């Protein structure tokens, strides 16, 4: 109900004011932005959010086919797929959004940042609420996969390439596959997290094979010595 109440408040804000607000977010987060004219015409993440609002309006009126058609047009034009049923708050910033997927029952709060290749999807097992809830001020980095009816807390950060299957607390940073909390409220959680020391199965197998080769060479050398001794008799 929290997100539905916020959605109603958002819809009461003027359309042009909302569009201006969306463009202001781009200037705040992207140093490459130079003018409102450039941002208005060339930022696909911005266009995707605007198209979604139109699709979502039809979706709420139970005009599902029109809503889905608009969302597919949105996907074709921007490379960003947002289901028309998803609930999105104010000031969402999708940066370099190609490949972003946002599922039907997603709920996204205010001031959220999403980078390219992010998936806010389901696991294929749930019914009803089956996609993530992302709270205010969260950041989801490049290529992260957030799956299932889980919650990404306020001001949380999901690291690039992470796969998140469990709730993330407020003000936490999560990384890895599967995702693990490494910081919360700016303090390190796991002091022994050394990514350069993670197991490498390929290297381990190569070392095992090299060991077998060395043992075979030693056995061959020993057999050669035995053969030479017999020939000298």
């Amino acid at each position: 109900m929290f997100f539905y109440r916020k959605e109603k408040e958002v819809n009461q804000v003027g359309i042009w004011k909302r569009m201006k607000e969306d463009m202001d977010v781009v200037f705040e987060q992207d140093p490459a932005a130079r003018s409102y004219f450039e941002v208005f015409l060339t930022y696909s993440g911005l266009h995707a959010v605007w198209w979604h609002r139109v699709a979502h309006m039809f979706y709420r009126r139970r005009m599902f086919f029109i809503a889905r058609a608009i969302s597919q047009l949105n996907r074709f034009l921007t490379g960003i797929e947002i289901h028309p049923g998803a609930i999105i708050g104010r000031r969402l910033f999708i940066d370099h959004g190609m490949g972003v997927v946002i599922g039907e029952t997603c709920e996204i709060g205010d001031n959220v940042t999403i980078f390219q290749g992010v998936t806010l999807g389901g696991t294929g097992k749930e019914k009803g609420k089956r996609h993530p809830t992302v709270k205010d001020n969260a950041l989801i980095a490049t290529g992260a996969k957030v799956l299932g009816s889980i919650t990404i807390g306020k001001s949380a950060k999901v690291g690039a390439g992470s796969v998140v299957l469990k709730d993330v607390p407020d003000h936490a940073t999560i990384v890895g596959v599967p995702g693990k909390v490494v910081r919360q409220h700016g303090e390190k959680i796991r002091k022994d997290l050394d990514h350069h020391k993670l197991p490498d199965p390929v290297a381990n197998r190569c070392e095992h094979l090299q060991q077998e080769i060395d043992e075979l060479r030693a056995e061959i050398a020993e057999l050669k010595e035995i053969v030479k001794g017999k020939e000298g008799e």
Side-chain angles (χ1 to χ4, degrees):
M1 292 301 295
F2 171 74
F3 279 95
Y4 285 98
R5 185 175 69 252
K6 292 182 70 173
E7 184 186 42
K8 184 177 180 180
E9 294 172 358
V10 164
N11 290 336
Q12 292 173 349
V13 180
I15 294 175
W16 295 110
K17 185 176 180 180
R18 286 293 307 280
M19 294 177 70
K20 170 67 162 51
E21 184 179 71
D22 294 332
M23 289 189 285
D24 288 341
V25 176
V26 175
F27 284 102
E28 291 173 11
Q29 301 210 36
D30 188 357
R34 294 181 175 84
S35 69
Y36 281 102
F37 182 74
E38 176 189 33
V39 170
F40 183 85
L41 290 180
T42 64
Y43 275 68
S44 59
L46 198 61
H47 301 157
V49 171
W50 290 344
W51 277 110
H52 170 71
R53 288 186 189 141
V54 177
H56 187 63
M57 178 186 68
F58 284 102
Y59 186 88
R60 293 188 64 194
R61 288 164 174 74
R62 304 187 65 82
M63 302 171 71
F64 299 128
F65 177 78
I66 296 176
R68 198 58 190 265
I70 293 172
S71 72
Q72 290 302 299
L73 176 63
N74 186 8
R75 177 188 179 188
F76 175 78
L77 294 174
T78 66
I80 299 168
E81 183 173 351
I82 308 176
H83 193 283
I87 298 173
I88 295 178
R90 298 172 67 171
R91 298 166 61 85
L92 172 64
F93 180 54
I94 302 177
D95 195 14
H96 302 289
M98 180 63 69
V100 167
V101 177
I102 299 176
E104 179 182 13
T105 60
C106 278
E107 298 175 357
I108 299 176
D110 297 337
N111 301 302
V112 171
T113 301
I114 295 175
F115 288 88
Q116 69 269 22
V118 165
T119 298
L120 302 179
T123 62
K125 299 177 182 178
E126 305 98 337
K127 293 182 179 180
K129 181 70 170 76
R130 59 191 185 280
H131 297 102
T133 294
V134 182
K135 293 190 175 181
D136 297 349
N137 304 306
L139 182 148
I140 305 178
T142 304
K145 312 302 177 188
V146 183
L147 306 176
S149 182
I150 62 176
T151 298
I152 306 299
K154 292 181 180 179
S155 301
K157 297 179 180 179
V158 178
S162 300
V163 177
V164 184
L165 304 173
K166 297 181 180 180
D167 291 346
V168 178
D170 295 347
H171 306 283
T173 299
I174 187 167
V175 300
V177 182
K180 298 183 182 297
V181 175
V182 295
R183 286 185 181 274
Q184 191 167 9
H185 298 286
E187 297 183 1
K188 196 170 184 179
I189 301 298
R190 295 184 61 198
K191 296 182 179 180
D192 60 340
L193 187 69
D194 297 319
H195 290 282
H196 65 287
K197 295 180 181 178
L198 291 175
D200 186 340
V202 176
N204 292 342
R205 183 59 180 165
C206 288
E207 290 178 4
H208 182 70
L209 290 173
Q210 184 62 51
Q211 183 179 354
E212 290 183 349
I213 291 171
D214 293 340
E215 291 175 355
L216 288 172
R217 285 176 176 172
E219 290 179 4
I220 291 172
E222 185 178 344
L223 289 172
K224 285 182 177 180
E225 290 296 327
I226 293 173
V227 170
K228 284 182 181 179
K230 288 185 177 180
E231 289 178 349
E233 292 178 354

